[in-house]
Amino acid sequence: ERARVEVFSPLGAMALLRCAARQPSGCVCPILPRGGRQFSELSESQARSPPSAGSFLEFGWRAHQDVAAISGDSSASSPLQRLQRLSEVALDVWPREAPQWRVAAPLVAPSLSRNSALQDRSSFSAAIAAAGLTPESRAACLRTLCECHGSPRLARGVVPMLTALVEGAEESHNLADRLPPQELSRCIIAIGRAPLLQFPVQDAPLRNFLANGVRRLAGGAAAKMTTTELHELRCALHRCGLETPHLDTELRKRLQHIGDGTSQAGPESTGSFAADVAGIVACSHSLSMADVLRSARVRKALLPDDLSAEMAAKLLPHALPMEAAPGTAHEFVVGMATRQLESHSRFLDIGDLSCTLQGAVAWQASGDRSAIHHAARILRTVWPWVASKLPYLGPDDLALALKGYCWQLQYSQQEFAVQGALRDHPFVESVADARDGGHSMRTAARTRSELDFKTKLVQPVLSRLNEMPLRQMAVCLTSLAPGVSEQGLLDDDDRAAVKAALDATFPAEEQNGRRWADFREEYLAGQMHALTTSELLELTCSLGEFRGGARWVTDDLRSVVEERLRPPRGSRPSVELTHILLLRLCRTINLWQGHAVEEMLTHLLSSPAAVRPLPTSYFVAVLSALCSFNVPKEVPLTLASAFLDRVDCGECIATPEQWVRILHSIRALDDPPWWDRVTPRILQNLVPHVRNLSPQNLALLLQTYASKPQHSKPGQRAESGDAILDHLPAVVTGAVNQAVRAGGWNIEQVVHNLDQLGRLDWYSDTTAAAMVAQCTQTPLLEPHAPLLVPLSRACAALRIHHAPLLNKMVLWYCWSCTYLRPNPLPQPQVDELLEFAGHLLDLSFHSLELQGVLSEQLLNPNVSARQKLALLAAMARFAHFPLEFKEACAKVCAESNSSDLAALTSADLVNAFNIHLCAVFDGPAALKHWLTEDEAMKTFFQVHTSQQWYHKQDQERTTFLQSHAYLTLKQAIEDEGLDLRPSDPGDVYHIEFVSKAAKERLGAMPADPPIALVCIRSKEQLRWYIPITADVGLDAEALALQNRCHQFRYMFRGSVQKMRHLQAMGYRTAAIWLSEWTALETAEQRQAYLRTALGTPGRQNATFSPNAAEEEETYC
């Protein structure tokens, strides 16, 4: 008759299939899964396939139901009956990492978790005696309990059960005296790795059982056990807190015989020595007898003829010493095991792969360069088999695989960053380069292999996060998390995939119900209890770094960490933080507000001496992480200052790239009084190496310094000790020129960095030529649309008028407004248009196409009153007055009481006055008459804009009268006997010096117009001017020769309009170029310069104006 069993997870189905395989032939055990679909038979691959996707708690709940189906109804059977029923099945079919062990304890003994009377040892002993359990059955029950996981509450209840099982009802029933040696050894090993016990074991009956058991085994059974079995037994006893003198004597005796080459009685003498070589190597390390590895028998067993691939895999975890540095004997073991695995990796099964991965991770952790090299060889060798057998690996093996490959890949990338060559790559073997003898890597193969790594390992592991215990989950997430470099192995899409996997593993909503709530509480408590404090911190940091998982799991983890760091009784425990864990805590410091971890970090980071052991790379990363949060700025600045002191003392060093990162981290916080103590000292170490920076780090340096430039006079810099800042512009612009000419930046990076140079006002002819040449020769495409405003802003800030480039930008921008951008333009894009047009106006570049786009926006329904006023001002400055200009102007003035206009800034109001000013001087007569005679228009400009305009002119006048240029210019005028004086307050334009009674002479004596002496400030003088007719195909060197500012002087910005309007008013204008005037040293030089400026009008005073375009072309 067929049996029908209900199963709730594929692992449970696998267990029952194995039970069915033991039945007589013809007996088939059909399985009815939870969904109701019936399968009479399942293949091995189907049974062992990964479970369906679900949350972490749902996967545990399925395992819970599997255990319940096997152990039986808790209300109809006693705990001993359920434990016995479970032990008959579980030990044979469930591996140690099976999820059923995580949930079995409360099901086999639920009353114990509720402090029932059965917790009494004598009661359970009586139940065992009444059931008549044989010693073998008691041993099976003991091993079953030792495999179970659970919370501390369950542990307190399970210990009496273990005690009753080992003692029995009478003294003669002591389990250690009644078990066969092999089963006794299994029980001792099971106790040594029991998750529910606290080590060392304190319970007296359990310690007596262990002591009696090892005494009995040492009496004669130990001689029949292999060295591997004895070593495993010794490790279990040591973990339980028991000394093993008899076992140590037996093991030392065996190792001594092996070292001497003499025969002995024992398993090794019967031909199984090669099969036990892994245990021999492990014992030699445990007993500090490494000389055994040099013996002839061990070396022969390691030769290819005797060493099998299976034994080589088992040998890997024990090949290196636990504490001492590896010697030549260890290197021989490592080399032979590696060679054998490379030759016979196809014969490895799942267990062998697990040992191989465990050994590779152990070799990586040793830090020995040779061991790391061999680990890379091992990982490359087994990668095809790991990828193909991944569905059959358990959580422990998945975590080991991901940890090993991620670590090796990061190590290889780090070697490439430091030495410029990829070494010890975990997927593709390095190839020696015949040209320089270094290691080169085939880029295509490496890229393809790393993509396979994400596809064949990372993604499958993420899909199985729900079936992992929290410990293995923490290992996987820690392996994927960024290391010292914030970028890490994953890109944005990969991090999004990790976040999605965590969200699916820990969803915000779970099932409801009291039974589910009890299970959830007990399951999570048991999982978190199994983790150390460091593992809890790593898991919490992983959830915070990837921003995945529901809030409740992070809160539960934080609560457990809080309980451990702030216990209700006793002193607070110490927590050992690794370098990377400290860094991760700083990167997720927002998770620990008001937490014990925050208190711990505050105490640690407030003392520079506490972080002294950090390597420089970790210190820089910690500093960067702290500065990204709103921590008190004294903390990172104090750490940076202390680090600089250590560098000055020669205690540590930093690479130029690390100095850039330090500067980038603290620059936003570095204000007086910290300025002199940090930033100049960083620059002193950085400036000599700027030319050696990579293009990416050079761009970061520009971005950092441009975000908060320090402006001070040269004298002040010398007094404060930061004179290094005077050399910084020349050094950086030279490095930028070198990076651009070498092709280190694409067009986006060139424009961005040119914009940063503009913010800093750092200019060099050669640098500007190289960057402008790349911008000119690069075709503009749709992705380049966001670059036009930064490029025009950079040209205006650096005073570069490259007419072919500006024309190219304008034509493409107008084309994009017609064919790419929405019509009508939304308000953000109208603001972008206004900014773009404003920069072109400053550069005095005029375009009919751009003027047409501005005119179209006057009819745009999305444009606000503020934007329409700005459009009118831009068109007036362009001297462009279409028919709709008057209508739009009248409408804006009628809305002058709107909140939009009331919120105008002073700069907006000053700019709006240009509507009136430019229309009066440059507009048609009818428009001029309307603006000056219409009462509404007169009222609007008098009330809203003129006051701010004249206030600005008065400010300029006051600034000029307080300057050194005014004093020297006044002295030169007096020495020359000229009748010039500063203009009166209230004039429409501030004129530095003007003829006496100039207003009365205007229009009265056209043959002798009054003089207007205008000072052109440095920021109003172009550094670079190339006309529209220049050849755009020139390289950087030829382009630099086309710069006409080397022969002539050109003004731009507001001085162009000012000079044009003064000439329209009737003045004879003359220009004083302050960049030249301030360089004059004697009074005679100033007088000669003044005479030239007043008596030689012409090309030296050339200005840009809309109506001078054709005249400008005659000089080409």
Side-chain angles (χ1 to χ4, degrees), residues 807 810-811 814 846-854 856:
N807 184 61
V810 169
L811 292 179
C814 295
H846 300 269
S847 168
L848 295 177
E849 290 83 358
L850 184 61
Q851 293 170 11
V853 174
L854 292 171
E856 292 174 0

Side-chain angles (χ1 to χ4, degrees), residues 40 209 425 466 480 550 639 660 880 972 1008:
S40 60
F209 168 78
H425 199 273
N466 62 330
L480 295 174
L639 293 176
V660 172
H880 179 63
D1008 185 21

Side-chain angles (χ1 to χ4, degrees), residues 527-816:
Q527 289 284 290
M528 294 180 184
H529 172 67
L531 301 181
T532 64
T533 304
S534 297
E535 290 171 336
L536 287 169
L537 291 173
E538 287 179 347
L539 181 56
T540 310
C541 290
S542 298
L543 295 176
E545 286 172 328
F546 292 111
R547 301 180 181 180
R551 181 64 180 269
W552 59 264
V553 64
T554 304
D555 292 342
D556 288 350
L557 289 169
R558 292 175 72 253
S559 300
V560 175
V561 174
E562 179 81 11
E563 292 175 0
R564 295 195 183 182
L565 295 183
R566 290 175 177 169
R569 297 184 302 273
S571 60
R572 295 187 179 183
S574 61
V575 180
E576 183 178 355
L577 296 180
T578 61
H579 298 160
I580 189 63
L581 181 54
L582 174 61
L583 173 58
R584 299 183 71 195
L585 289 174
C586 293
R587 285 176 176 169
T588 57
I589 200 171
N590 57 313
L591 295 177
W592 309 107
Q593 293 183 4
H595 195 273
V597 172
E598 182 184 38
E599 182 180 342
M600 177 181 65
L601 291 177
T602 301
H603 176 74
L604 178 66
L605 299 174
S606 298
S607 173
V611 297
R612 185 182 295 267
L614 281 179
T616 302
S617 57
Y618 282 92
F619 173 81
V620 174
V622 167
L623 194 65
S624 177
L626 290 177
C627 293
S628 62
F629 294 99
N630 188 23
V631 300
K633 67 179 183 179
E634 291 79 9
V635 174
L637 289 174
T638 301
L639 293 176
S641 179
F643 177 77
L644 288 165
D645 293 338
R646 292 171 55 203
V647 171
D648 294 341
C649 296
E651 296 180 10
C652 60
I653 59 174
T655 63
E657 290 76 13
Q658 290 170 342
W659 285 121
V660 172
R661 288 194 61 192
I662 293 174
L663 181 65
H664 177 70
S665 300
I666 60 93
R667 188 68 193 94
L669 309 175
D670 194 14
D671 293 317
W674 290 94
W675 164 258
D676 294 336
R677 296 173 57 183
V678 179
T679 298
R681 298 173 63 190
I682 294 175
L683 294 175
Q684 286 174 358
N685 292 278
L686 177 59
V687 167
H689 308 285
V690 166
R691 291 185 179 272
N692 299 325
L693 289 175
S694 65
Q696 292 74 18
N697 284 289
L698 182 59
L700 181 60
L701 173 61
L702 272 176
Q703 176 188 345
T704 299
Y705 208 77
S707 64
K708 192 178 179 183
Q710 182 74 12
H711 298 293
S712 61
K713 297 180 180 180
Q716 294 176 341
R717 291 177 182 172
E719 293 173 1
S720 62
D722 56 339
I724 190 69
L725 300 180
D726 292 333
H727 304 284
L728 188 60
V731 173
V732 172
T733 53
V736 169
N737 178 43
Q738 178 181 333
V740 174
R741 291 175 185 268
W745 290 332
N746 57 29
I747 182 62
E748 290 84 359
Q749 293 169 321
V750 167
V751 171
H752 175 74
N753 293 316
L754 186 64
D755 190 22
Q756 304 303 324
L757 290 173
R759 295 177 187 273
L760 293 166
D761 196 24
W762 290 355
Y763 174 81
S764 166
D765 271 353
T766 55
T767 303
M771 302 183 84
V772 169
Q774 183 168 344
C775 294
T776 305
Q777 297 168 9
T778 302
L780 292 177
L781 304 174
E782 184 175 352
H784 300 148
L787 303 179
L788 296 183
V789 171
L791 183 55
S792 62
R793 180 172 60 238
C795 290
L798 292 173
R799 297 176 262 162
I800 297 174
H801 184 112
H802 189 287
L805 175 61
L806 297 177
N807 184 61
K808 173 184 177 181
M809 295 164 55
V810 169
L811 292 179
W812 194 91
Y813 187 88
C814 295
W815 181 86
S816 68

